[in-house]
Amino acid sequence: MKKTLFLISIVLCRFIALADEGMWIPLFLGYNEAEMQKMGFHLTADDVYSVNHHSMKDAVVLFGSGCTGELISPDGLLITNHHCGYSFVQRHSSMEHNYLHNGFWSKSRDEELVTQGLTVTFLVYMKDVSEEVLNGVTANMDESKRNEIIKANIEKVEAKAVEGTHYKAKIKPFYYGNQYFLFVNEVFEDVRLVGVPPESIGKFGGDTDNWMWPRHTGDFSLWRIYADKDGNPAPYSPDNVPLKPKQYFPISIQGVDEGDFTLVFGYPGSTQQFLISDAVDFKANVQNPIAIHSRDLRLAAMKRQMEKSTEIRLMYSAKSNSISNGWKKWIGETKGINECDVVAKKIAEEQEFTKWVNANPERKKAYGTRLSDMKKVYSTYNNQEKSLTFLSETFLSIEMNLFMYSKLYRFTASWADGNWTVEELAKNREKLAQEIESYFKSYNQDIDAECFVELMYYYFSENDPQLIPQNLHKYINMPKSEWQAMWNRVKAKNPALFDEQRLVSLARNGKLKDWQKLMNNELFNLLYPAAIDTYFETRAQASTNETQLDLYYRTYVKALMEKDTDKTFYPDANLTLRVTYGNVKGFEPSDGVKYSHYTTLAGVIAKDNPDIFDYKVDPKLKELFANHDFGRYANDKGELPVCFIASNHTTGGNSGSPVIDADGNLIGINFDCVWEGTMSDLNYDVNRCRNISLDMRYFLFIVDKFAGAQNIIDELDIR
């Protein structure tokens, strides 16, 4: 086992040394150093990641549970994307103080807004613990026994790593379990909102511009991390003080030119570069189209109502953002996979792999059936995933359906079981009442009714009959008018379901029989048990197949490494700290189309359209442009840069990542990929893939000239 691990490590180091793309483990960045410096980097790998002294990694955080942020001042000031903090800003907003729409700028520390539920996580150090985790594992061991040993070893190593500290430890597998890494983290939970531009800047272009280039979005928000007097993590307290970070980024206003070196440091969420053709074909041509069409219907319903009032827009902004982000990405991903013929390329790679395996008796014995084994699993797994995608994107995307099952039904069933004491019942009554109040704060019946009709019709008219529960076959091809009639009947019979005050009153004072009567309705009986039971049964079956596929991929990836010793391999993203580097670069996505590497404020003004919410330019921004009042933030042509693109390999989770120049200065905030390159999670193409970043000069211009927040400018290190 030790010999195997040693060989894998040597192979990985060789691959890293040959890297020209990828998401690299910072611990091993020394192997990339020569290439990075050849591309223009003026520092060393040790300046990026070190446990012996302060380095860039000490200024980078996991923001919340799925974005990246970075420190930009000695007083714990942190910047990330506008869309990363969007839901938290929405929680702070009301019709009286609509920070989401109008923006927010604290003029002093006392004005900063405490944000419940938001955390930031620093990596203290990472370590290859493959040998410890795989201790006791043998090549021919039963998989369940292997998992049992690995689980016990992980618990032991994690516990030892944080013993006597306030740190938290997490071990994650790499290369489908060929390697394991330990991550020791420090988590801060007192994070406060400092500043955010209005939606007209921070979300300029909306869904139309999302994932697109050219881009003109001021996608940033500012937060401050607080700690106790000793600098340690602590729950919110008025006695907490701004964190004094080990490292923070100075900001450069020198700007970027074509070919400049860029380094992105952050927490990419998930990539699947090793998937075989069966999986890629299914994703592009079956799963994505189902999800895309379902979300088309939901977004259309939301848009119609959101355009009617500011109140509904505020209620549904975060929901709409969440739905549309995946929706548009999947459209681009499918387009890229098909245009670049990725499935055919995968098939050719598999044929080459099979030829290589069969050329050697030992390889044939070890890997001879690996691809056929995987394809056999996919023949059933893909159908399971199709069923789950239909159910999750239709049944479980109707707000009333999900609310009735997850809250109301569970409350009723638990009460009926008779296991609650009087005190527990009272406690759960009040908890439910609060959940009902929270639910109705962001619920619109007209949106949900339209979604119900459209999604139910789609599920029962476009789905494969064999994937629909047998006792629901009577609904196949039922017209939309009858789905609308069903919704209306439930509303007439059980009006309390749609009335916040009546439902809260039931929660606090109603009898069990009242709840049982409420749940005995046509809508809920349609959802449960047939659809929910089918979902969980199918989920369990799919999970078994996923475990089997992971096992097969483990040996498949190992075999690929043995086969292609001159090819670049890097671990799939898994929300752990990674480094990617490249150069500022335009691109040509299609015949006759050539994009420059940057955009300017002139492009914002050119897009101005008072009749379209996403393109309404703030009057003050227009005035600053008209007066050419750009201060020291203009480029040498007198333009005010807004965004730029580069060839860094990024994905979801890299939102908010620092974009760093050759000297370690912050020049941008990563916030997107170009639409033509969203397939990069499955198949990276350096000719199509570009990451989109906010130019720090536009950030400084907005804070300084637009917001007049001199207190924020004063604490920054601007170079």
Side-chain angles (χ1 to χ4, degrees):
M1 178 56 66
K2 289 184 179 180
K3 183 177 180 181
T4 301
L5 289 173
F6 175 76
L7 288 173
I8 290 174
S9 296
I10 293 296
V11 170
L12 289 179
C13 293
R14 182 174 182 182
F15 290 147
I16 291 172
L18 295 171
D20 60 359
E21 49 147 299
M23 300 173 178
W24 305 108
I25 303 172
L27 178 64
F28 295 141
L29 203 59
Y31 295 103
N32 301 66
E33 186 175 274
E35 184 185 53
M36 293 166 67
Q37 291 175 346
K38 185 178 179 180
M39 293 172 65
F41 192 46
H42 297 156
L43 304 177
T44 67
D46 203 45
D47 293 317
V48 179
Y49 176 89
S50 177
V51 293
N52 298 317
H53 59 77
H54 300 164
S55 59
M56 290 183 193
K57 67 102 172 159
D58 297 311
V60 181
V61 301
L62 176 65
F63 183 86
S65 59
C67 278
T68 303
E70 55 273 3
L71 277 299
I72 55 173
S73 92
D75 289 321
L77 188 65
L78 177 149
I79 189 168
T80 187
N81 286 158
H82 181 274
H83 74 262
C84 289
Y86 197 84
S87 62
F88 296 105
V89 177
Q90 183 185 29
R91 293 178 203 175
H92 282 303
S93 299
S94 63
M95 290 302 293
E96 183 181 1
H97 299 291
N98 194 343
Y99 302 132
L100 201 63
H101 183 70
N102 301 319
F104 169 80
W105 307 98
S106 60
K107 300 300 182 183
S108 69
R109 305 282 165 84
D110 292 339
E111 293 181 8
E112 295 171 0
L113 302 178
V114 178
T115 307
Q116 297 294 335
L118 176 58
T119 62
V120 297
T121 303
F122 289 87
L123 174 67
V124 180
Y125 70 88
M126 62 183 299
K127 180 183 178 183
D128 184 344
V129 291
S130 303
E131 188 170 343
E132 295 96 314
V133 170
L134 295 172
N135 182 38
V137 172
T138 60
N140 298 319
M141 179 175 286
D142 174 78
E143 190 69 9
S144 61
K145 181 64 176 176
R146 182 184 193 275
N147 291 337
E148 182 183 324
I149 291 173
I150 288 174
K151 183 175 183 292
N153 288 342
I154 285 176
E155 290 175 354
K156 187 187 302 181
V157 175
E158 287 179 343
K160 185 178 179 181
V162 297
E163 187 176 1
T165 75
H166 63 269
Y167 298 147
K168 297 182 179 181
K170 182 68 176 178
I171 291 175
K172 290 195 173 185
F174 286 66
Y175 301 102
Y176 292 92
N178 280 304
Q179 278 191 302
Y180 289 84
F181 282 82
L182 167 71
F183 299 86
V184 175
N185 300 312
E186 187 173 35
V187 181
F188 288 81
E189 53 188 305
D190 186 354
V191 185
R192 307 180 193 180
L193 177 61
V194 174
V196 63
E199 277 187 294
S200 60
I201 292 172
K203 197 172 176 285
F204 183 77
D207 291 338
T208 305
D209 282 5
N210 192 23
W211 299 103
M212 305 303 288
W213 184 258
R215 198 68 174 274
H216 301 87
T217 311
D219 198 347
F220 74 90
S221 56
L222 291 165
W223 310 78
R224 195 180 307 280
I225 307 170
Y226 281 77
D228 67 18
K229 60 182 177 60
D230 298 316
N232 295 318
Y236 165 75
S237 167
D239 297 326
N240 285 349
V241 296
L243 176 71
K244 299 296 181 182
K246 298 174 183 176
Q247 187 97 348
Y248 66 90
F249 288 108
I251 299 173
S252 170
I253 56 173
Q254 184 173 333
V256 297
D257 293 317
E258 184 94 12
D260 282 355
F261 176 85
T262 54
L263 182 149
V264 173
F265 212 164
Y267 286 86
S270 177
T271 57
Q272 297 175 294
Q273 60 178 311
F274 298 108
L275 290 183
I276 66 172
S277 59
D278 304 63
V280 177
D281 185 33
F282 170 77
K283 190 169 186 65
N285 299 310
V286 179
Q287 187 176 42
N288 281 359
I290 294 169
I292 290 164
H293 185 71
S294 300
R295 294 188 178 206
D296 272 336
L297 300 173
R298 294 167 69 192
L299 288 168
M302 290 180 183
K303 184 179 180 180
R304 269 188 279 276
Q305 298 302 323
M306 289 170 71
E307 288 178 347
K308 292 181 178 180
S309 79
T310 302
E311 184 177 6
I312 297 175
R313 179 172 294 279
L314 182 59
M315 289 168 62
Y316 273 80
S317 288
K319 291 179 184 179
S320 176
N321 274 3
S322 177
I323 294 165
S324 66
N325 196 51
W327 163 78
K328 193 160 188 178
K329 178 186 177 181
W330 296 328
I331 295 172
E333 182 178 75
T334 293
K335 186 173 183 287
I337 288 171
N338 290 329
E339 287 180 355
C340 293
D341 214 7
V342 176
V343 175
K345 290 177 183 177
K346 289 281 186 179
I347 290 173
E349 290 170 2
E350 290 158 20
Q351 291 171 343
E352 184 184 327
F353 175 81
T354 301
K355 184 177 179 181
W356 174 80
V357 168
N358 291 336
N360 180 286
E362 289 186 10
R363 291 200 296 260
K364 190 171 182 179
K365 182 179 179 181
Y367 310 124
T369 65
R370 183 51 66 237
L371 273 172
S372 60
D373 290 339
M374 296 167 79
K375 289 177 180 296
K376 184 178 180 180
V377 175
Y378 273 118
S379 67
T380 57
Y381 177 71
N382 284 346
N383 263 340
Q384 292 162 352
E385 280 297 296
K386 182 177 181 180
S387 176
L388 291 170
T389 303
F390 256 116
L391 286 166
S392 62
E393 294 289 341
T394 57
F395 271 93
L396 299 179
S397 292
I398 297 162
E399 293 180 89
M400 182 56 74
N401 280 359
L402 191 57
F403 181 63
M404 279 197 293
Y405 173 73
S406 64
K407 303 299 181 185
L408 307 186
Y409 168 75
R410 288 185 176 181
F411 171 80
T412 306
S414 297
W415 188 0
D417 286 342
N419 296 324
W420 284 343
T421 64
V422 174
E423 291 78 12
E424 288 172 335
L425 176 59
K427 182 179 178 181
N428 284 298
R429 276 181 178 276
E430 184 56 33
K431 179 184 177 183
L432 180 62
Q434 293 174 8
E435 289 172 338
I436 291 168
E437 290 171 341
S438 176
Y439 167 75
F440 275 99
K441 283 180 182 177
S442 60
Y443 178 72
N444 179 272
Q445 290 182 39
D446 292 332
I447 291 174
D448 208 26
E450 182 176 341
C451 287
F452 174 78
V453 172
E454 295 292 340
L455 293 176
M456 288 296 91
Y457 179 76
Y458 176 55
Y459 177 85
F460 285 103
S461 62
E462 298 296 330
N463 200 356
D464 294 340
Q466 64 266 29
L467 299 181
I468 297 174
Q470 191 66 38
N471 59 342
L472 297 183
H473 276 209
K474 63 182 178 180
Y475 297 108
I476 291 176
N477 292 323
M478 189 168 87
K480 292 181 183 180
S481 58
E482 292 191 31
W483 289 111
Q484 183 65 61
M486 180 186 292
W487 179 274
N488 293 340
R489 286 195 299 272
V490 172
K491 189 173 180 181
K493 180 182 178 182
N494 296 112
L497 283 172
F498 303 87
D499 187 313
E500 179 182 355
Q501 291 185 346
R502 293 175 68 172
L503 205 54
V504 168
S505 178
L506 266 178
R508 290 184 170 133
N509 306 304
K511 298 178 181 179
L512 177 58
K513 65 179 182 180
D514 297 325
W515 279 101
Q516 291 171 329
K517 181 180 179 181
L518 186 70
M519 300 312 298
N520 184 23
N521 64 74
E522 192 175 6
L523 180 57
F524 183 74
N525 289 337
L526 169 66
L527 172 70
Y528 186 86
I532 289 293
D533 282 358
T534 298
Y535 180 85
F536 284 113
E537 287 169 7
T538 308
R539 179 70 266 163
Q541 294 164 1
S543 180
T544 299
N545 280 327
E546 285 166 2
T547 301
Q548 185 64 57
L549 285 169
D550 283 348
L551 186 159
Y552 289 153
Y553 273 112
R554 189 167 67 239
T555 52
Y556 179 59
V557 170
K558 181 175 178 289
L560 288 175
M561 290 179 172
E562 291 178 16
K563 172 182 175 293
D564 297 319
T565 56
D566 60 344
K567 182 178 179 180
T568 300
F569 286 85
Y570 45 88
D572 276 328
N574 58 0
L575 207 63
T576 57
L577 194 60
R578 304 292 181 90
V579 174
T580 175
Y581 51 89
N583 298 99
V584 175
K585 190 183 297 185
F587 75 119
E588 300 178 28
S590 58
D591 184 48
V593 177
K594 185 175 182 178
Y595 285 132
S596 170
H597 68 278
Y598 74 104
T599 59
T600 69
L601 183 57
V604 176
I605 302 303
K607 287 181 176 179
D608 180 34
N609 187 334
D611 296 326
I612 301 176
F613 180 85
D614 290 331
Y615 292 107
K616 291 179 182 178
V617 178
D618 190 285
K620 185 171 184 180
L621 199 57
K622 292 182 187 179
E623 181 183 347
L624 289 166
F625 177 78
N627 295 332
H628 211 70
D629 188 5
F630 303 153
R632 54 178 170 163
Y633 311 119
N635 63 18
D636 55 8
K637 296 179 181 178
E639 305 163 323
L640 181 66
V642 174
C643 299
F644 64 91
I645 52 175
S647 60
N648 302 85
H649 187 180
T650 61
T651 188
N654 277 123
S655 290
S657 290
V659 184
I660 302 156
D661 70 8
D663 298 306
N665 300 309
L666 189 63
I667 54 173
I669 308 297
N670 182 83
F671 69 87
D672 217 342
C673 297
V674 297
W675 198 50
E676 294 84 354
T678 52
M679 67 168 184
S680 62
D681 287 355
L682 306 174
N683 183 78
Y684 184 87
D685 184 338
V686 72
N687 296 312
R688 293 174 67 99
C689 299
R690 295 290 183 273
N691 64 304
I692 306 174
S693 301
L694 169 73
D695 194 303
M696 292 308 291
R697 291 170 291 182
Y698 190 55
F699 153 70
L700 292 169
F701 165 79
I702 294 299
V703 175
D704 186 350
K705 293 289 186 176
F706 178 83
Q710 191 62 42
N711 58 308
I712 296 174
I713 295 293
D714 288 344
E715 68 173 292
L716 304 176
D717 182 359
I718 301 173
R719 301 180 181 180

